[in-house]
Amino acid sequence: MTFGATAGPKDTPGGTPDDEGTPDDEGTAGTGAAVGEPDESARGLYLAILADGGRIRVADVPEADRDAVRRLVSIGLLMPNTMDACYTAVSPRSVSDRLGAELRSEATRLLVRAENLPGTLDALTRAYDAMPRPPERSGGAVYIEGHIHIRHRISQLVSDCRTEVLTAQPGPRPADALKIAIQQDVQLLRRGCSLRTIYQPVAMSEPPALAYAEEVTRRGSLIRILDEPIQRLMIFDRSVAVISASDDHSTAAFITDPAGIAFIVNAFERDWCRADAIGRSTTPGRGAAHSAPERVGRLLARGLTQRAVATRLGLSERTVAAHISRLRDRYGAQTLFQLGWLMRGGRDDG
């Protein structure tokens, strides 16, 4: 939209403001109704016009101030006077009253819309609730096979959750899985649900996991670290528990039996009480947690076998063997016993 100075030749005192500068203009009126606040340049021009008696001729408006004039006209702080070819200042009090009434009307409309929204989506809600789900089996548990089907069912449970999610993550989570998890969990927290997670230290050793933890804790999630063997677990609203039913996690059991749920929740709460809370000063990756090789060494120093270390840290034996190999090179140890002895001495000396 261009700003025409007069209806006749430009910058002549006898002209009138262009129709585009009137409050009836579609673009400017809409802007004023939607925003209603002058920016710094418009505010400064308005004060200058007041200092000059509350009136400025169209012909006297500098090119650099024409955007500010359009802004003030759209808000209603300037009124075009077509008879005198000038703009007249309008009381901010009257503008405030008008815009306040418009905003209250808009707020009322939005509240009514919010009240009607469940009814508007009722047909979709009923269709979602009627969506086929895995059939119930005896014993209060449903077994789902395949990572895709498991993730899909968990997504449904996250979407249906209303109060609380409890989870335990013993090992590292793939970066792709974390991308999905952060989207789901942020939406969950925005709905007002609580989220508590217990991790083993190894699960929080990679940058994607640290980024996930930082984002969800910033939004209210609670995370604790437990340097003990734990099982992968998810509990939704204390009514559905999901546990792994195979070594490769390709099968999951979805448990709904109340007694089973109560037992699993109690086990989670015991682990939660023993776990270490993390905060700004203890967030993994910021100096509080030991590296994976150091954790392996500390457990070897306690006399644990390679297999026991792998189980304790949620790592594969191959990964533990690789850490042990690096530790042997670092300490010059020939046997596990010697490495454990040297690690114990190094720790005591530190």
Side-chain angles (χ1 to χ4, degrees):
M1 182 182 70
T2 57
F3 183 85
T6 65
K10 282 190 178 182
D11 299 335
T12 57
T16 60
D18 190 288
D19 288 341
E20 285 186 337
T22 65
D24 292 331
D25 177 72
E26 181 179 353
T28 55
T31 303
V35 181
E37 295 183 11
D39 56 19
E40 288 302 318
S41 61
R43 189 182 298 269
L45 178 61
Y46 181 81
L47 293 174
I49 293 173
L50 293 183
D52 199 31
R55 179 177 176 275
I56 185 173
R57 294 195 314 154
V58 173
D60 294 338
V61 177
E63 180 71 26
D65 288 337
R66 290 186 177 180
D67 286 340
V69 167
R70 283 196 293 268
R71 178 77 170 162
L72 292 170
V73 170
S74 69
I75 296 172
L77 287 171
L78 284 185
M79 179 179 294
N81 185 328
T82 57
M83 294 183 63
D84 297 333
C86 68
Y87 295 99
T88 303
V90 178
S91 169
R93 188 176 294 106
S94 64
V95 174
S96 176
D97 292 342
R98 172 177 60 81
L99 292 178
E102 292 176 359
L103 291 174
R104 284 190 291 272
S105 177
E106 177 68 10
T108 301
R109 186 187 68 80
L110 291 174
L111 286 173
V112 171
R113 182 180 175 186
E115 291 293 331
N116 294 335
L117 190 58
T120 303
L121 298 179
D122 182 63
L124 300 180
T125 302
R126 285 186 278 106
Y128 179 86
D129 292 340
M131 177 175 54
R133 286 177 167 81
E136 293 292 339
R137 297 183 184 179
S138 59
V142 175
Y143 292 85
I144 297 181
E145 298 181 355
H147 295 293
I148 294 178
H149 300 297
I150 293 171
R151 287 195 297 267
H152 178 64
R153 181 62 183 130
I154 289 175
S155 296
Q156 291 178 336
L157 292 171
V158 173
S159 176
D160 293 340
C161 184
R162 291 294 174 265
T163 58
E164 177 187 56
V165 177
L166 309 174
T167 70
Q169 298 290 345
R173 303 173 70 182
D176 291 342
L178 286 169
K179 289 181 181 179
I180 298 174
I182 198 167
Q183 295 175 356
Q184 293 179 340
D185 294 346
V186 166
Q187 292 180 2
L188 180 85
L189 294 166
R190 283 176 175 172
R191 296 201 306 268
C193 298
S194 65
L195 174 61
R196 287 190 285 154
T197 304
I198 301 173
Y199 283 104
Q200 279 188 306
V202 68
M204 300 299 294
S205 60
E206 299 295 332
L210 295 174
Y212 164 85
E214 183 175 357
E215 178 66 16
V216 295
T217 52
R218 184 174 66 85
R219 296 178 180 273
S221 175
L222 300 178
I223 293 177
R224 291 189 178 183
I225 304 297
L226 183 62
D227 197 357
E228 297 179 11
I230 56 176
Q231 298 298 317
R232 193 179 306 276
L233 168 69
M234 303 182 77
I235 308 170
F236 298 91
D237 289 337
R238 306 201 175 202
S239 60
V240 180
V242 186
I243 61 174
S244 180
S246 62
D247 292 338
D248 61 358
H249 308 300
S250 62
T251 302
F254 291 74
I255 301 170
T256 56
D257 177 69
I261 294 290
F263 179 85
I264 294 172
V265 169
N266 287 337
F268 175 89
E269 295 294 358
R270 286 196 298 269
D271 287 343
W272 181 261
C273 290
R274 294 200 311 276
D276 296 323
I278 66 171
R280 292 182 180 273
S281 61
T282 57
T283 299
R286 296 185 179 177
H290 296 282
S291 66
E294 288 174 335
R295 290 195 297 274
V296 170
R298 286 191 295 116
L299 293 178
L300 289 174
R302 297 179 189 175
L304 273 69
T305 65
Q306 178 174 316
R307 176 171 295 181
V309 170
T311 301
R312 182 71 174 265
L313 296 180
L315 300 172
S316 68
E317 288 192 51
R318 179 178 298 179
T319 300
V320 171
H323 289 317
I324 290 175
S325 178
R326 285 190 287 270
L327 289 171
R328 280 178 171 176
D329 292 340
R330 182 188 304 175
Y331 287 90
Q334 299 300 317
T335 65
L336 284 181
F337 176 80
Q338 186 180 11
L339 177 61
W341 178 268
L342 292 171
M343 291 289 295
R344 186 182 300 112
R347 182 192 61 192
D348 293 340
D349 293 341

